[in-house]
Every structure is written in C-alpha cells, then in structure tokens.
C-alpha cells in the first residue's frame, strides 16, 4: 500500500494495492464471527359474529336471542438475534358499536380496550438456555392447566420471569410471578378473584417421535380478601402424556391439588382427562372422558375442599363449546363435573376440516346446593374450518344444549329449554414485513 503526504495539508491518501487489500479483507472476515438478526412484523385481525340463544346459561322461554360482533386486532413485532429475542404485541379488543362518544357529526368509533398483550425480552444464557422477562403467553401441553385462552378475544398473558433450560434430553422450565394492582408503600392487597402469584415448574421429554411426557407443578396464590395480606397457595401436581402410532392417537392428563383454598381450608382435589382416536382414511373417530372432583358438603360444613380449581385451563377447549362449565363452583353448585364425549373429525381436504363432538354431562358429587339427580344434560358441537389462504381462516360453528331439571335448578332458570349458539369467525394473519441482517 502506497502512502502519499501533501505538505501543508492535513490529509492522508491511501492508494490501495489490490493484492494487499484482498489479504486484509480476508483477515478481517476470519476475525469476526457471522452475526444473524431478523426483524419482522405480523398482524392478526379476528372478527367473530355470534348468535347467542342460551350461551353460557340456558335460554329462558321469554329471552330474546342476542346478536353481536367482536373484533381482535393485533400487531406483532419480533426481533431475533443470536442472543436476544424481543416480542411486542399491542392489542385492541372491541365489540362493534360499543360507543360512548357518539354524536351525529362525529365518527362512529368504538370504546375498545387498547393494551399490551405481549412485551418481553428473551435473553440467551448459554448454548441452549434462555430466560424470558416480561408479559408473555404461558401455554403448555394440551392447555389443561396453563393456556392463552385463545377463544376469548382478549386472551391471557402473564407478567412473569421464565427460565428455559435444556438438560440433555429433558426440557425444564421454571417460572415465577408477583402481581400488584397499584404502586403502594405498604401492604400486598390484591383482588381475590385474580391470582396474586403463579409459579410453576415444567419437565418435558420427547421419548420417540410418537411418545411425549410432561410433569407439571403449579403454586397458585390468591389473597384471602381485597383488604387482607394473607395469601393462600393451592398446589397442583400432575402429568400429561400423548402417544401417536400409525392410525391411533391417545392423550391423557391427571392432576392432584393440595395446600390451602382461598378460604384457608385444606385442599384435596383432582382432575383427569383422556381421549383416544382412530383414523380411517379421512375420518377420525374417537371418545374422551373428563372428571373434575367436587364437594359433597357446602359452606361451613366443608372441612376439606374437594372442588378442583381450573387455574388457567383453556375453558373453551374442554367440557363443551357452550362454556357451561368454566366456573365449577358457580356452574355445578360445587359438585364438580363428569363429561363423557364421542367425536368424529373429517379432513375433507387440505383446506377443509369438520369436527362434531357430543357430550354427556353429570355432576361428580351432589350436595345441599344441587338436586339429587346428577344428570346435567347433553350438548352437541359442530365446527367447520376452511383455510382459504396461508394468511386466512374462515370458521363456523353451531352448538346446542339439551338441559335437564338438575341443570336448570343449579342455573336458576325454571323455564329453561333448548339452547343454541351460532358463530362465524374470520381470522386474517398476514406477514407484513421481514428483514434479515
């Protein structure tokens, strides 16, 4: 390389020698590792119209069916490099026409709920170990315990610290959270209908392509009241397993609860789910069973609480799509639930899928708050999904429930009868932008 200096001028001019320049470039290339980073922006717009004629609760004879349209709008910003991942998801959820500021001269806007659904940083600790800090979705296994409740337009995300470890062939996740309603100088008051703290450990392994096993422990704490610092933790320990071989599919889970209830009483409750299916060409036929333990006593007569608490169970995915059994204390009189169902799943094409479930419901236990007859009735759920594009899904469902006198008595609907629910949902999930560096 030749260096020329000009007198009186503070400048240096480099005239490159091609051979030396290539050599220097080669050395620099070897000296610095390759760095990868990706930034992308996705969107989700989900609009659902619903005809409710007995949804959540049996329709009374003089009820007028309700019709409504709701919408979820999300923008998903994601950045990923070798040692850092960041995800930000602002979300707006609204019902069409929910307007508090409407005037004849103004715009017909809605009173939506704009918030942050996700906002977390995932930091690499070592080769396969990460820690995620911030608001994030906690979705595990079949969502029997921890889910994002995706049927709900708002969904569920949690403010938590999540440590993700790789231990040879096992995956170990450890999470902790502590929720506070206000910035206070004293006390730990919190609404008793929400969890003050959710902490869990999840151990998972894929033994072969067809067998998967998970072990989960969750400590869920609630305050005794909104003016009490006392926090009672209900402990949940159990397993989930799934097995697929040839045309046979099977999954099961079982969880036992102990510790203290929100009222400070001893807890001994359990949940069990199982489902098996067999595929014949485009048709998958199967059956399943779900059992949620309940109480045979009520009020002050309860010394040990046997009613299982669902924590963040995906309510809509279990025990019928009419959502009659999402709050076991209120909707079963504290008696728990037994649910036997059969299903037929048809993969009509690569784009079209149709599934029908038929449920037989009954109480797990009877008590003074329930009739002596355990039969709660039956429900049929029919859902069709059509994926018309990589970014588009059209979904329709029709559900109906045939209630018994036992269910009508628990719900307090004396003249309740045939109940039905119909919906049509459009989901648009395009990728808006993607850049690699």
């Amino acid at each position: 390389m030749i260096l020329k200096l000009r007198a009186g001028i503070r400048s240096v001019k480099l005239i490159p020698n091609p051979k030396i320049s290539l050599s220097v470039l080669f050395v620099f290339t070897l000296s610095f590792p390759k760095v990868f980073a990706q930034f992308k922006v996705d969107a989700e717009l989900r609009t659902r119209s619903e005809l409710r004629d007995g949804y959540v609760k049996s329709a009374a004879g003089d009820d007028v069916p309700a019709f409504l349209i709701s919408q979820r709008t999300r923008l998903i910003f994601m950045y990923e490099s070798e040692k850092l991942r960041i995800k930000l998801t602002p979300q707006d959820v609204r019902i069409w026409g929910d307007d508090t500021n409407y005037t004849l001269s103004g715009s017909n806007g809605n009173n939506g709920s704009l918030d942050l659904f996700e906002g977390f940083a995932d930091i690499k600790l070592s080769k396969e170990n990460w820690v995620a800090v911030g608001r994030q979705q906690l979705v595990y296994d079949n969502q029997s315990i921890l889910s994002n409740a995706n049927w709900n337009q708002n969904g569920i995300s949690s403010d938590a610290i999540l440590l993700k470890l790789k231990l040879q062939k096992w995956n170990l996740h450890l999470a902790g959270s502590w929720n506070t309603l206000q910035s206070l100088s004293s006390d730990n008051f919190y609404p008793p209908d929400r969890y003050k703290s959710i902490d869990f450990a999840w151990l998972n392994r894929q033994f072969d392509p067809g067998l998967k096993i998970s072990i989960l422990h969750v400590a869920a704490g609630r305050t005794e009241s909104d003016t009490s610092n006392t926090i009672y933790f209900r402990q949940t320990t159990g397993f989930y397993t799934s097995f697929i071989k040839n045309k046979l599919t099977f999954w099961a889970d079982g969880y036992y609860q102990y510790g203290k209830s929100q009222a400070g009483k001893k807890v001994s409750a359990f949940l069990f789910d199982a489902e098996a299916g067999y595929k014949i060409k485009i048709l998958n036929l199967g059956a399943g069973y779900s059992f949620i333990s309940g109480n045979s006593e009520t009020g002050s007569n309860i010394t040990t609480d046997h009613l299982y608490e669902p924590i963040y169970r995906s309510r809509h995915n279990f025990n019928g799509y009419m959502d009659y059994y999402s709050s076991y204390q209120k909707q079963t009189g504290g008696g728990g639930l037994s649910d036997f169902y059969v299903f037929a799943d048809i993969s009509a094409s690569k784009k079209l899928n149709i599934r029908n479930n038929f449920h037989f419901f009954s109480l797990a236990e009877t008590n003074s708050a329930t009739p002596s007859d355990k039969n709660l009735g039956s429900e049929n759920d029919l859902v069709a999904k059509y994926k018309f594009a990589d970014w588009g899904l059209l979904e329709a469902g029709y559900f109906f429930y045939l209630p018994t006198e036992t269910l009508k008595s628990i719900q307090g609907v004396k003249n309740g009868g045939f109940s039905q629910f119909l919906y049509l949902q459009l989901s648009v999930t395009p990728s808006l932008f993607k850049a690699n560096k």
Side-chain angles (χ1 to χ4, degrees):
M1 187 173 289
I2 302 172
L3 180 64
K4 287 187 177 181
L5 298 178
R6 293 184 179 179
I9 302 177
R10 293 182 179 179
S11 64
V12 177
K13 184 176 182 181
L14 298 177
I15 301 176
N17 183 311
K19 293 183 178 180
I20 297 178
S21 298
L22 288 174
S23 300
V24 173
L25 179 61
F26 180 71
V27 171
F28 268 73
T29 303
L30 294 179
S31 300
F32 291 93
K34 292 182 179 179
V35 178
F36 168 78
Q38 182 184 86
F39 176 73
K40 64 177 182 175
V41 182
D42 297 333
E44 179 186 0
L45 289 92
R46 191 173 82 172
T47 305
R48 184 166 68 226
S49 56
E50 304 176 20
L51 177 64
R52 298 180 173 185
D53 185 22
Y55 176 66
V56 177
K57 187 177 181 180
S58 298
D62 54 352
D63 283 349
V64 176
F67 181 76
L68 58 92
I69 303 173
S70 61
Q71 180 170 317
R72 170 204 287 177
T73 306
R74 289 176 179 173
L75 276 177
I76 304 108
F77 300 90
M78 289 175 287
Y79 169 82
E80 181 178 356
S81 67
E82 183 184 357
K83 296 184 178 181
L84 175 65
R85 304 171 187 147
I86 295 177
K87 188 174 184 181
L88 302 174
T89 308
Q91 168 181 271
D92 177 70
V93 175
R94 64 183 64 234
I95 295 176
W96 286 13
D98 179 11
D99 195 344
T100 58
N101 299 308
Y102 176 74
T103 62
L104 292 177
S105 60
S107 62
N108 189 17
N110 295 337
N111 183 25
S113 58
L114 182 63
D115 62 5
L116 185 68
F117 180 65
E118 290 177 294
F120 68 91
D122 203 2
I123 303 168
K124 190 174 185 179
L125 302 177
S126 60
K127 186 177 180 180
E128 294 184 282
N129 301 323
W130 295 74
V131 60
V133 182
R135 180 163 295 183
Q136 55 195 292
Q137 299 182 65
L138 300 175
V139 181
Y140 286 85
D141 301 322
N142 61 342
Q143 303 189 45
S144 179
I145 302 293
L146 298 171
S147 77
N148 58 1
N150 196 50
W151 168 257
N152 187 332
Q153 294 283 43
N154 294 84
I156 292 179
S157 57
S158 301
D159 299 316
I161 299 175
L162 176 62
L163 181 63
K164 296 173 283 187
L165 305 175
K166 186 74 173 180
L167 308 176
Q168 294 182 351
K169 295 183 180 181
W170 294 87
N171 298 301
L172 175 62
H173 288 194
L174 303 171
S177 68
W178 184 261
N179 299 316
T180 305
L181 197 61
Q182 302 177 50
S183 178
L184 302 174
S185 299
S186 61
D187 294 318
N188 288 303
F189 298 155
Y190 201 68
D193 59 341
R194 297 162 61 182
Y195 291 107
K196 177 69 177 177
S197 179
I198 288 281
D199 314 290
F200 68 86
W202 176 75
L203 187 64
N204 166 268
R205 179 174 174 178
Q206 183 89 38
F207 283 90
D208 60 54
L211 177 63
K212 183 188 300 182
I213 294 178
S214 300
I215 300 172
L216 177 67
H217 174 78
V218 180
R222 293 181 187 265
T223 55
E224 190 176 30
S225 69
D226 57 3
T227 58
S228 172
N229 287 307
T230 302
I231 303 172
Y232 291 113
F233 279 86
R234 179 183 290 250
Q235 311 291 334
T236 303
T237 303
F239 75 94
Y240 165 79
T241 184
S242 63
F243 177 75
I244 301 174
K245 187 173 183 179
N246 299 328
K247 300 178 181 181
L248 176 66
T249 60
F250 173 80
W251 66 263
D253 62 45
Y255 298 94
Y256 177 69
Q257 289 187 338
Y258 51 101
K260 295 288 186 178
S261 70
Q262 190 175 9
K265 295 185 178 182
K266 180 182 177 182
V267 172
S268 179
F270 68 94
L271 160 77
F272 174 75
D273 298 303
E275 181 181 293
Y278 189 80
K279 191 169 185 179
I280 307 172
K281 295 184 178 180
I282 64 171
L283 178 64
N284 185 25
L285 299 174
Y289 182 69
S290 177
F291 185 88
I292 293 100
S293 66
N295 286 314
S296 58
E297 301 289 345
T298 60
S300 59
N301 293 327
I302 297 177
T303 56
T304 299
D305 190 354
H306 296 292
L307 180 62
Y308 182 87
E309 185 174 289
I311 310 181
Y312 286 144
R313 181 176 173 91
S314 179
R315 311 297 209 272
H316 188 74
N317 288 346
F318 297 91
N319 309 132
Y321 297 156
M322 293 282 280
D323 295 336
Y324 274 32
Y325 307 107
S326 57
S327 174
Y328 303 141
Q329 177 61 50
K330 179 181 179 181
Q331 294 172 320
T332 69
L337 185 69
S338 175
D339 172 19
F340 173 75
Y341 62 93
V342 293
F343 67 86
D345 194 307
I346 303 172
S347 299
S349 68
K350 292 183 179 180
K351 295 183 177 181
L352 178 63
N353 177 264
I354 302 171
R355 179 174 174 123
N356 192 86
N357 302 331
F358 193 81
H359 296 261
F360 302 89
F361 295 109
S362 61
L363 294 170
E365 297 284 350
T366 59
N367 54 52
S368 59
T370 70
S372 57
D373 185 358
K374 292 184 176 181
N375 186 8
L376 292 170
S378 56
E379 176 181 335
N380 191 80
D381 303 325
L382 176 63
V383 176
K385 297 180 180 181
Y386 179 68
K387 191 169 182 60
F388 59 88
D390 291 339
W391 45 262
L393 177 67
L394 187 63
E395 182 177 332
Y398 176 70
F399 320 139
F400 66 82
Y401 198 107
L402 304 174
T404 62
E405 293 302 318
T406 295
L407 180 65
K408 289 187 282 186
S409 174
I410 292 174
Q411 292 184 343
V413 184
K414 294 181 180 180
N415 60 341
F418 179 81
S419 299
Q420 58 186 338
F421 175 70
L422 174 68
Y423 78 93
L424 180 64
Q425 177 174 284
L426 173 65
S427 298
V428 177
T429 56
S431 179
L432 304 180
F433 177 81
K434 185 177 181 180
N436 296 324
K437 181 175 71 173

